[in-house]
Amino acid sequence: TTLLGSNEAVGLPKLPTTSYDRPPSSPEAAAGMLSRATFAWLNPTLRLGNQRPLEENDLPPLCRMDSSQTATDSFDRHFEAMRALGTASQPNAVALSLWRSFGREFAVAGVVKLLSDVCQLATPLLLRHMISLLEGGANAAQGVRATLALFAVSCLQAFSLRHYFAQLFRTGLRLRAAVVGATYRKLLRVAPTARVSFGDVTNLIGPDSQRICDLVPYLHALWFAPLQVLAALGLIFSECD
């Protein structure tokens, strides 16, 4: 954090960030809504991987939003805005810049996880409803409706959970790319007289950034784990009454 928020490079020119050749478009960018929802745009790569070990040239290009340049540019833009307001020296300036860059997609993933948990809670309720229908001598139409409802809820729960993890793993990679990219740009702009610990730099772009990447998919557990416990206790008490 100290390295990213340092002001040692005052007076040095800012590096250009758009000097790279544009990569070929990603198949995900050209995929339709159904293909994105089912991850079908990955099928050619998966089929090729089933035939032989994949090589670097076999992997599809990244989307523009997943590139390290885009992630670093977004972080730099928000951090420079805080610097203009005089708040870049605060201890949480880097974390706040990362939140402003990637917080929206992180929050959207939380909504998807909430939908998954609601479906998970609805499954035992639907099962109890089906049992009550069987005990009450329900007709075939009622049984079919209950079965279809259970099937739809289970599919929606699996669908939302897969997209929750896919989105958060992607967000974690973007966070890691932003931290590594911002550190690299800072090192190129740092003044020759600045005291920089190369051990701190190595830790920041290596283990520390990887820990951030690994932590992101499980941060929502801070709220959904207690919620799941309370929901389970509620179901147990409702059955005991």
Side-chain angles (χ1 to χ4, degrees), residues 111-121 156-158 160-161:
V111 176
V112 176
K113 185 61 172 69
L114 179 61
L115 176 62
S116 173
D117 288 349
V118 170
C119 294
Q120 186 177 11
L121 177 63
L156 183 59
Q157 193 268 338
S160 56
L161 187 61

Side-chain angles (χ1 to χ4, degrees), residues 4-7 10 78-88 186 189:
L4 291 178
S6 175
N7 290 323
V10 175
H78 289 97
F79 191 80
E80 290 299 327
M82 296 188 65
R83 189 191 299 278
L85 296 175
T87 58
K186 189 66 176 180
R189 295 198 302 265

